[in-house]
């Protein structure tokens, strides 16, 4: 939506909307979210949950990040970093919890200096990579909570002269055609995004027709690891 325009208020006020599917982005204004929550419209959150609202369809974010983290551990990495979403992000919190659970289950301590929470955009992934590369003991592997941020991290790694995966393995949440066409191609965890969208539409239509609404989690198809050239065992 164009910056500086009251798009949401106008659409709702003009009665042009029968229902809303909402994916909360990093840059969404608090006032826009408040307008939607207060509007007398069927509202379904996509992959986020709001404490003051019932009606959401979410993914198994923690499970997906666990798969990504376990892949790196099985390759032999122990100094593993995490580039997450913003601290206020509901999905970001779930993904960080999955990372920490995977590390704890394998008996690996999470060093707090290798955990960043800068966001899902490419520039924020690049900023996370810059922070991690400055550490006295930099990580040998990185789990990125969003494939868009992973592209930024990959670009910044190249700018800093780091070889991927020779110096740093990178694995990202979500798969996309861009991941397969990066260099090196990015290892990802493919999530059931089509099923997420289908169920969200089903729920908002059911709310329009019956008034019923619930919070649901998409568990099938299961998250799938897609191994490409951005991950490898650490240098000995």
């Amino acid at each position: 939506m164009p910056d500086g325009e009251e798009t949401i208020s106008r659409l709702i006020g003009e009665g042009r909307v029968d229902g809303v599917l909402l994916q909360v982005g990093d840059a969404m204004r608090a006032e826009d979210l408040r307008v939607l929550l207060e509007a007398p419209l069927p509202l379904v959150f996509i992959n986020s949950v709001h404490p003051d609202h019932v009606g959401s369809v979410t993914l198994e974010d923690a499970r997906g990040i666990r798969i990504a983290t376990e892949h790196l551990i099985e390759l032999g990495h122990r100094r593993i970093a995490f580039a997450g979403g913003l601290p206020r992000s509901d999905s970001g919190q779930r993904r960080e919890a999955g990372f920490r659970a995977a590390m704890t289950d394998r008996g690996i301590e999470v060093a707090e200096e290798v955990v960043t929470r800068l966001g899902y955009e490419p520039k924020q992934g690049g900023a996370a990579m810059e922070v991690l590369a400055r550490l006295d003991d930099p990580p040998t592997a990185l789990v990125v909570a969003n494939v868009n941020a992973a592209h930024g991290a990959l670009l910044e790694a190249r700018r800093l002269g780091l070889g991927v995966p020779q110096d740093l393995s990178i694995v990202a949440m979500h798969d996309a055609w861009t991941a397969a066409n990066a260099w090196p191609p990015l290892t990802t965890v493919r999530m059931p995004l089509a099923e997420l969208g289908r169920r969200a539409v089903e729920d908002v239509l059911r709310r329009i027709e019956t008034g019923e609404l619930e919070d649901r989690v998409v568990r099938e198809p299961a998250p799938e690891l897609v191994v490409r050239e951005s991950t490898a065992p650490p240098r000995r």
Side-chain angles (χ1 to χ4, degrees):
M1 293 178 289
D3 290 338
E5 294 188 13
E6 299 298 327
T7 308
I8 291 177
S9 297
R10 189 175 72 249
L11 288 174
I12 293 175
E14 293 173 354
R16 296 162 58 188
V17 175
D18 295 316
V20 177
L21 301 176
L22 177 62
Q23 183 174 17
V24 180
D26 288 350
M28 186 170 188
R29 302 184 308 175
E31 54 266 35
D32 289 334
L33 179 57
R34 185 175 62 254
V35 167
L36 288 170
L37 288 170
E38 293 175 352
L41 287 172
L43 170 63
V44 174
F45 280 82
I46 297 178
N47 210 33
S48 62
V49 178
H50 195 279
D52 298 326
H53 178 80
V54 175
S56 65
V57 182
T58 58
L59 295 170
E60 292 186 293
D61 289 288
R63 182 181 179 187
I65 287 293
R66 283 187 70 115
I67 291 171
T69 307
E70 289 167 355
H71 169 63
L72 296 174
I73 294 172
E74 289 166 2
L75 287 173
H77 293 278
R78 294 297 179 268
R79 180 77 167 165
I80 302 174
F82 179 74
L86 295 174
R88 67 174 181 271
S89 167
D90 178 64
S91 64
Q93 294 170 19
R94 297 198 305 271
R95 293 173 197 183
E96 182 176 336
F99 168 74
R100 291 181 180 275
M103 295 285 279
T104 299
D105 288 350
R106 297 298 185 96
I108 304 172
E109 183 178 356
V110 177
E112 294 305 319
E113 67 267 20
V114 300
V115 175
T116 66
R117 305 176 185 89
L118 302 181
Y120 290 154
E121 297 178 5
K123 63 181 180 181
Q124 295 161 338
M129 183 72 259
E130 185 177 11
V131 169
L132 297 170
R134 288 202 306 261
L135 296 174
D136 292 335
D137 183 16
T140 65
L142 172 62
V143 178
V144 188
N146 180 280
V147 68
N148 295 327
H151 283 292
L154 180 61
L155 180 63
E156 183 64 15
R158 292 178 67 90
R159 189 185 72 80
L160 294 170
L162 296 173
V164 177
Q166 298 89 347
D167 301 314
L168 179 75
S169 285
I170 298 178
V171 58
M173 179 83 153
H174 292 307
D175 194 38
W177 70 268
T178 56
N181 289 278
W183 188 255
L186 283 166
T187 295
T188 62
V189 176
R190 182 178 295 149
M191 303 296 289
L193 295 177
E195 184 67 12
L196 176 75
R198 186 180 70 82
R199 293 194 184 185
V201 172
E202 288 176 351
D203 281 5
V204 78
L205 289 175
R206 187 171 72 251
R207 175 63 182 271
I208 292 171
E209 295 168 357
T210 70
E212 298 177 6
L213 206 56
E214 61 181 332
D215 294 318
R216 294 205 288 172
V217 179
V218 177
R219 305 186 188 280
E220 297 293 338
E224 177 187 359
L225 180 69
V226 181
V227 179
R228 299 190 179 99
E229 288 91 331
S230 69
T231 53
R235 285 179 172 177
R236 300 297 180 185

